[in-house]
Amino acid sequence: MGLLLDLGYVAAGLLASPWLLFKLLSDRRFRHRLGERLGGLPVSGEGGPVVWFHAASVGEVNLVKPLLARLKASRPSFRFLVTTNTMAGRENAEKAGMSTSYYPLDLSPCVGRALRRVRPAAVVLIELEVWPNFARACARRGVPVAVVNGRMTERSFRRYRRFRGLFGGAFRSLAAAGAQSEESAARLRELGAPVVVTGNLKYDAAIGFDPAGEERAWRELLGFGDAPVLVAGSTHEPEERILAETYRQLRRSHPTLRLVVAPRHLERADEAKKAVESAGVPCYKRTQLTAPPPSDGVVLLDTVGELSRVYAAASAVFIGGTFCARGGQNMLEPAALGKPIVSGPDLANFREIAGTLVDAGGMRVFDNPVEMGAALGQLLKDPERARAAGERARKAVDAGRGAIEATLRLLEKDVLKGT
């Protein structure tokens, strides 16, 4: 099966070779430490057992942080490696002081080389990321593999079920799997995974700083003072223009309003800036600011790891990926900070969390930007109403905490017990 899978990967690579070559030449993310993707991960060297965490990108790395903090305290002799798929995820891990690398391609030679160099005692996959060659190679070496914070949408489930011959063995080989919900657990169970419901780590990982201090710092840095601030987090095209037009309309009745836009992908920073300016609104990149920008300008957050802290300065928050068929982005960070939240209708990737916040009265979902703008105007007009909505969001997050304890118990019982 491994040989057939490798041949399939190679065939797909050959078909996509013109596009891959173009990307290698034009996009430095595809060239960055390419050797690691071919299996050249850091050599483990001498020391205690290595636990390998795989976190696809920035959001998943944020979930690793509290787990690592707890494991380092309980198992001080252990060493930890965090791999990612994206450059932004890697940068986030490096900023947190983690030993980090890129995850190898799921080709048998790449996987084998990576495992020989790292020699992990256990592997922990965040949310899913179950690759068949990697899972098979770990099983042959007796390396336990666990999925934590597992989430499987109906769309993903149909895809995995269609290719059950390729993925079935990978799921059955897992030592343990902790799912966010019973819905995801049922899908993982049908694919053969030994799964239990541990809850959603995003509730536990929502805040790791002093909110009041961050609010003061960001308001001073960006020159906001006491003005109301709308933060648009993790936006995609065409949401930057939508938010800029909404901002322009809202400033007619709320002239001191400020807007911060944070594109989901930093490589879109220039595109996002042009989209804001196309709506007739000045836009200033955070990385190019040497002084607070003019009060009518939009701040474009083109940095890694700062969005969650900027949320602390928000009067209200828009969640990106919801007016563009992207399935939404994580709304728990602003909710945990007690911020009222608005979004568009596409929340496929965060349906359960969004439902919890909507039911609690801390989040509102709108079918179109006009309705959303009117609702934001009401929140700006009535700060006490906004504060109450934010408090309901915060309480909903507090009620959902506890997944980290269940996840650590799962790892200690089924993955780390022999190390």
Side-chain angles (χ1 to χ4, degrees):
M1 180 61 74
L3 177 59
L4 290 175
L5 189 58
D6 285 337
L7 290 173
Y9 285 146
V10 171
L14 289 173
L15 288 173
S17 57
W19 177 84
L20 290 173
L21 180 60
F22 171 75
K23 284 294 185 181
L24 283 169
L25 294 174
S26 64
D27 191 333
R28 75 184 187 93
R29 293 174 302 158
F30 280 73
R31 301 189 303 271
H32 189 243
R33 295 188 180 268
L34 184 59
E36 293 177 1
R37 298 188 189 274
L38 298 177
L41 275 66
V43 177
S44 65
E46 299 299 323
V50 176
V51 179
W52 177 346
F53 282 83
H54 179 55
S57 193
V58 173
E60 291 80 9
V61 171
N62 288 336
L63 299 184
V64 172
K65 293 175 184 178
L67 286 174
L68 281 191
R70 295 286 294 274
L71 287 172
K72 285 179 178 179
S74 63
R75 293 179 176 254
S77 65
F78 277 39
R79 294 173 295 158
F80 301 92
L81 172 69
V82 178
T83 57
T84 71
N85 292 338
T86 68
M87 183 181 291
R90 183 194 177 102
E91 291 174 352
N92 189 22
E94 288 176 340
K95 282 187 175 181
M98 300 175 183
S99 174
T100 185
S101 181
Y102 286 120
Y103 190 69
L105 297 173
D106 196 49
L107 289 163
S108 294
C110 301
V111 168
R113 183 185 181 206
L115 289 171
R116 286 192 300 272
R117 292 170 68 89
V118 176
R119 292 186 286 122
V123 175
V124 181
L125 309 174
I126 308 297
E127 297 212 333
L128 204 59
E129 292 293 310
V130 179
W131 290 90
N133 273 339
F134 185 85
R136 188 178 295 109
C138 287
R140 284 199 305 268
R141 289 166 171 79
V143 178
V145 178
V147 168
V148 300
N149 213 52
R151 177 175 66 93
M152 182 171 286
T153 64
E154 179 61 31
R155 181 180 178 183
S156 295
F157 177 59
R158 290 196 301 267
R159 184 168 62 247
Y160 280 118
R161 190 167 52 183
R162 186 178 305 120
F163 298 101
R164 188 189 294 267
L166 290 177
F167 289 95
F171 283 103
R172 288 191 298 271
S173 72
L174 294 174
Q180 295 181 16
S181 65
E182 183 54 49
E183 184 179 51
S184 287
R187 291 165 181 160
L188 285 164
R189 197 173 292 121
E190 185 170 334
L191 292 171
V195 63
V196 295
V197 177
T198 51
N200 194 331
L201 285 170
K202 287 186 172 72
Y203 284 94
D204 295 85
I207 299 181
F209 52 83
D210 169 32
E214 290 293 335
E215 178 175 11
R216 288 192 299 271
W218 283 101
R219 283 183 172 272
E220 179 179 352
L221 178 68
L222 298 177
F224 291 164
D226 296 327
V229 178
L230 172 61
V231 176
S234 299
T235 56
H236 297 259
E237 195 277 328
E239 291 171 331
E240 292 88 10
R241 182 179 176 90
I242 289 173
L243 268 294
E245 291 173 346
T246 300
Y247 171 67
R248 191 179 60 190
Q249 293 293 325
L250 287 171
R251 277 180 62 89
R252 293 176 180 175
S253 51
H254 304 279
T256 62
L257 178 65
R258 306 301 301 274
L259 172 63
V260 178
V261 174
R264 176 68 179 87
H265 299 112
L266 296 187
E267 62 270 19
R268 291 191 57 252
D270 290 336
E271 175 189 335
K273 183 175 185 293
K274 290 178 181 178
V276 171
E277 292 171 341
S278 70
V281 181
C283 186
Y284 305 91
K285 288 184 178 180
R286 152 86 170 98
T287 56
Q288 295 177 352
L289 289 176
T290 57
S295 60
D296 64 338
V298 172
V299 174
L300 186 81
L301 196 65
D302 58 337
T303 54
V304 174
E306 291 186 337
L307 176 58
S308 61
R309 297 173 183 271
V310 174
Y311 279 144
S315 306
V317 170
F318 166 78
I319 297 299
T322 57
F323 273 126
C324 58
R326 292 283 185 150
Q329 302 294 155
N330 184 13
M331 62 282 298
L332 282 175
E333 289 176 332
L337 291 164
K339 306 301 179 181
I341 300 166
V342 298
S343 81
D346 189 355
L347 292 157
N349 294 335
F350 293 86
R351 195 172 304 282
E352 293 173 13
I353 294 174
T356 297
L357 294 176
V358 169
D359 290 344
M363 175 176 173
R364 295 184 66 185
V365 179
F366 299 93
D367 290 331
N368 61 74
V370 175
E371 292 178 355
M372 183 185 73
L376 285 170
Q378 293 172 1
L379 290 174
L380 294 170
K381 184 177 180 180
D382 189 350
E384 180 56 29
R385 179 178 181 178
R387 188 204 64 78
E391 182 63 13
R392 289 192 290 269
R394 186 191 63 77
K395 288 181 177 179
V397 174
D398 288 344
R401 297 186 190 275
I404 191 168
E405 300 295 340
T407 298
L408 287 168
R409 286 195 299 269
L410 180 73
L411 292 177
E412 291 287 356
K413 174 177 175 290
D414 295 328
V415 181
L416 304 178
K417 59 184 177 182
T419 59

